[in-house]
Amino acid sequence: MQIDINNLSFAYGHKLVLDKLSLTLNPGSFLVIRGKNGTGKSTLIKCLLGINLVKNGMIFFDHNDVNNFKGWTTVGYVSQVIDEFNYEFPLTVNELLSITKLRKVKENRKLKLLDQMGILEILNENIGSLSGGQLQRVFIVKSILNHPSLLILDEPTASIDKNNVEYFYETVNQLHSEGTTIILITHDEYLDCYNYSHVLQMNPDLSYAFRKRTATEEKEAE
Amino acid sequence: MFLSFFSDLIEQEFMLRALISGLILGVIAPLIGSIVVIRRLSFIADTLGHFSLVGISVSLFLSVTVPGTLSVILSENPLYFGITLSVLGGLLIEFFRRYYKNYKEISMVIVMSMGTALSAIFLSVSGKTGTLYNYMFGSILTISWDSVIMIGIAAILVFFLFAFFGRQIISVSFDENNAKFLGVNRGLFQIIFIIMLSLVVSVMLESAGVLLISSMMIIPIAASMKIGWSYRSTTAIAIVFSELSVIIGLWASYSIHLPSGAAIVSVNVIILVLVALIRRVVLKRNIAKHPTEPME
Ligand SMILES: Nc1ncnc2c1ncn2[C@@H]1O[C@H](COP(=O)(O)OP(=O)(O)O)[C@@H](O)[C@H]1O
Ligand SMILES: [Mg+2]
């Protein structure tokens, strides 16, 4: 999916968080967003998703204004905190994944992804009993079940332990190679594990730097 | 005592009506109730019950003011007005919920007070306050075939909704932010659900009574939530609890003349307490058996 952001500014009340940000991502790009806490990374993503109402600036998905965008079912999203989810009512991982999308999910793909993420054995467990890392992986699987054409992940590895994070890199890179456009916020030191194509660095003074992946970075990755 | 109850169930037509309507409600109440609980709308069900009563009162009031056959229709089928007003109440709540965005529960107080006041006024000017008791606590034994049919229609609608949109309903209820990525319009979804809920609430009015409608929807779920291991099992167990309560409650209503809604809900509460107690004992025993099991 092609994404164009034009002079986007956003404020919570009087507090300006994004200041005239612009960038263009071609279909199939892999953007990594970096920056200290509170620099507006999550805010930017929420603007992209229409969760934050944009009043200043424009956002286009495949040349359609986000406000009139109809293709949300092809977007996958994992938020930074999944706190609004109802954990108290019994629901198994399998149920969560099978009620997720409109189209029926292919059984094979579901099992394969769960296996890839190292959580196949919790298929029939109650989501209320999972650890933070397990839950995060379940939500990642949920967001990619349907081969989204745009995948947005907000610090997806924050509570996944080191041993399992490898599987995650593989899964994301594989989706990227299949043509999914990816936007990923991360603090990861192991940036090299991702086949990213662009970097957006966000700074506390509301300045930002948007650039392509450099040749030296490519080399270091190898 | 039980034997005569069962023979009467089959032989007496009023018992058959009570049984059929009770058994249908026993399924749809917890089914809708599960969603009501997940979406934290328990108070809305209660409020709608009060507003539905306005329709009943208006109908009874009109029946003493208009002449002729219309009067008979109005007094014998107050449920038509009940359903209409319940749906109207649902839409009103929705309106106030959007109006007081950050204080959504205000909407329920407004609609509930409006409902209580209006029903009291219309009932008292119609001079039919005697029927109030039945509508407060339910009287499943006096239910008419018309009402049974209404319950049947409501049930068909609920089943239809769950059969075709079950996955969306459940998914959006668990995670409202997710609605958009499912291609579901959140506002429209909310309105459809509220209308559905209003309908179910109003057809429950006669058998459960205003004060006990939400209990019949929610208590079986409250009990099964603690022992279910999935959405499916939780709802299924709730339906079993609910049917059990209906049958025992119906028996109590018939043989010791308790108001039906009160009897059914009492059995529901007893089941809830039993489940909580048994669960405690089982949990304690498990802990005693595996004292060192890691928690994870
Ligand atoms: N809903 C909100 N209301 C008010 N202020 C917010 C809200 N969300 C975030 N902020 C503020 O906006 C700034 C950027 O937050 P955020 O986008 O979450 O940063 P990041 O994701 O980069 O850590 C922070 O100062 C934060 O306190
Ligand atoms: Mg953030």
Side-chain angles (χ1 to χ4, degrees):
Chain A
M1 194 178 293
Q2 164 138 5
I3 295 168
D4 296 280
I5 303 178
N6 256 333
N7 269 322
L8 173 68
S9 297
F10 187 85
Y12 292 108
H14 291 293
K15 186 178 157 93
L16 193 64
V17 178
L18 300 175
D19 187 22
K20 298 210 183 76
L21 190 147
S22 302
L23 61 84
T24 293
L25 279 182
N26 291 324
S29 302
F30 187 156
L31 172 68
V32 171
I33 304 179
R34 319 198 68 187
K36 293 211 173 72
N37 275 333
T39 49
K41 304 184 295 296
S42 299
T43 303
L44 171 60
I45 273 183
K46 286 180 187 159
C47 290
L48 280 175
L49 291 168
I51 299 170
N52 286 339
L53 206 63
V54 172
K55 293 184 196 122
N56 292 300
M58 304 279 259
I59 298 171
F60 299 95
F61 283 179
D62 282 340
H63 310 289
N64 297 306
D65 191 322
V66 141
N67 298 315
N68 310 318
F69 183 65
K70 295 281 184 289
W72 290 111
T73 50
T74 65
V75 177
Y77 170 53
V78 181
S79 58
Q80 187 170 10
V81 273
I82 311 166
D83 56 355
E84 280 179 48
F85 197 87
N86 261 299
Y87 299 110
E88 268 172 72
F89 202 97
L91 185 74
T92 63
V93 170
N94 196 17
E95 280 178 323
L96 174 71
L97 295 178
S98 58
I99 62 177
T100 294
K101 294 290 176 185
L102 291 179
R103 271 188 286 146
K104 225 177 159 58
V105 171
K106 290 213 178 68
E107 198 65 18
N108 284 346
R109 178 164 170 82
K110 178 174 73 191
L111 298 180
K112 197 180 126 219
L113 284 173
L114 285 170
D115 194 28
Q116 229 171 41
M117 299 288 278
I119 46 172
L120 187 57
E121 73 282 1
I122 61 169
L123 184 64
N124 290 311
E125 272 181 41
N126 197 332
I127 50 162
S129 68
L130 303 183
S131 71
Q134 288 174 323
L135 204 58
Q136 203 161 22
R137 280 180 279 166
V138 170
F139 277 94
I140 291 168
V141 170
K142 174 173 175 260
S143 72
I144 59 183
L145 269 178
N146 248 21
H147 291 284
S149 43
L150 171 63
L151 177 63
I152 299 186
L153 301 161
D154 195 343
E155 301 197 26
T157 54
S159 51
I160 302 181
D161 55 90
K162 292 262 179 326
N163 302 326
N164 289 311
V165 90
E166 297 266 320
Y167 304 120
F168 172 71
Y169 298 142
E170 264 171 47
T171 311
V172 172
N173 287 334
Q174 190 189 332
L175 267 172
H176 175 234
S177 69
E178 289 165 8
T180 298
T181 304
I182 295 175
I183 298 179
L184 180 134
I185 297 180
T186 184
H187 283 305
D188 276 350
E189 315 91 272
Y190 310 107
L191 204 57
D192 294 344
C193 302
Y194 296 111
N195 291 333
Y196 63 95
S197 61
H198 294 77
V199 179
L200 175 66
Q201 173 72 41
M202 299 182 67
N203 302 319
D205 62 357
L206 306 192
S207 69
Y208 66 92
F210 174 62
R211 61 176 175 80
K212 276 197 164 148
R213 185 177 190 170
T214 59
T216 36
E217 281 171 318
E218 300 262 8
K219 238 179 222 150
E220 274 168 22
E222 282 156 22
Chain B
M1 193 155 60
F2 269 112
L3 269 182
S4 75
F5 169 65
F6 282 111
S7 64
D8 282 354
L9 261 187
I10 301 158
E11 284 159 19
Q12 304 274 1
E13 204 180 291
F14 78 95
M15 285 299 278
L16 191 65
R17 285 196 296 258
L19 184 69
I20 293 174
S21 49
L23 290 180
I24 298 177
L25 291 180
V27 176
I28 59 172
L31 196 57
I32 285 271
S34 69
I35 304 295
V36 170
V37 168
I38 296 169
R39 309 192 65 210
R40 304 175 204 281
L41 294 178
S42 306
F43 285 109
I44 292 195
D46 222 17
T47 309
L48 289 174
H50 283 76
F51 218 78
S52 183
L53 190 61
V54 178
I56 304 278
S57 329
V58 169
S59 190
L60 293 176
F61 164 71
L62 287 178
S63 77
V64 297
T65 43
V66 300
T69 47
L70 189 60
S71 155
V72 179
I73 295 174
L74 284 169
S75 76
E76 282 184 0
N77 299 296
L79 195 55
Y80 296 131
F81 267 72
I83 293 174
T84 315
L85 265 283
S86 177
V87 171
L88 192 73
L91 297 177
L92 264 180
I93 293 176
E94 216 21 56
F95 169 76
F96 285 120
R97 265 165 71 92
R98 288 173 194 198
Y99 193 68
Y100 295 102
K101 252 187 210 123
N102 296 316
Y103 301 93
K104 290 189 175 137
E105 70 281 2
I106 289 183
S107 66
M108 299 193 229
V109 178
I110 298 173
V111 176
M112 171 110 73
S113 346
M114 250 157 79
T116 314
L118 288 175
S119 12
I121 291 171
F122 281 109
L123 270 180
S124 90
V125 292
S126 71
K128 291 206 174 180
T129 42
T131 55
L132 187 62
Y133 184 79
N134 282 350
Y135 285 113
M136 281 294 164
F137 303 104
S139 68
I140 204 168
L141 297 180
T142 59
I143 211 162
S144 64
W145 275 122
D146 278 353
S147 301
V148 178
I149 289 169
M150 297 276 214
I151 291 174
I153 292 173
I156 289 169
L157 283 173
V158 170
F159 285 136
F160 178 83
L161 204 70
F162 269 81
F164 288 91
F165 303 107
R167 284 198 292 166
Q168 283 100 307
I169 295 173
I170 295 165
S171 179
V172 174
S173 301
F174 269 98
D175 185 5
E176 299 223 5
N177 291 331
N178 190 33
K180 185 174 186 168
F181 304 109
L182 288 171
V184 174
N185 179 327
R186 213 158 135 174
L188 188 66
F189 172 84
Q190 173 76 1
I191 296 271
I192 291 175
F193 184 75
I194 290 281
I195 291 177
M196 206 64 221
L197 184 61
S198 314
L199 190 66
V200 174
V201 163
S202 52
V203 299
M204 287 177 74
L205 192 62
E206 276 179 291
S207 37
V210 183
L211 300 176
L212 301 165
I213 291 171
S214 63
S215 332
M216 226 182 128
M217 284 187 179
I218 286 147
I219 296 177
I221 293 287
S224 68
M225 257 174 90
K226 291 291 170 196
I227 49 177
W229 57 93
S230 61
Y231 173 80
R232 245 170 220 273
S233 61
T234 304
T235 316
I237 294 169
I239 290 173
V240 171
F241 285 166
S242 165
E243 294 292 20
L244 211 61
S245 312
V246 165
I247 293 168
I248 300 175
L250 190 59
W251 168 77
S253 180
Y254 169 77
S255 51
I256 40 182
H257 307 293
L258 298 178
S260 59
I264 293 170
V265 169
S266 304
V267 181
N268 270 325
V269 171
I270 292 171
I271 292 177
L272 176 76
V273 172
L274 283 179
V275 166
L277 286 178
I278 292 171
R279 192 169 164 270
R280 264 194 95 115
V281 173
V282 172
L283 277 184
K284 264 204 184 130
R285 215 180 262 165
N286 280 352
I287 290 169
K289 250 192 226 161
H290 317 279
T292 53
E293 202 170 53
M295 295 294 284
E296 224 278 286

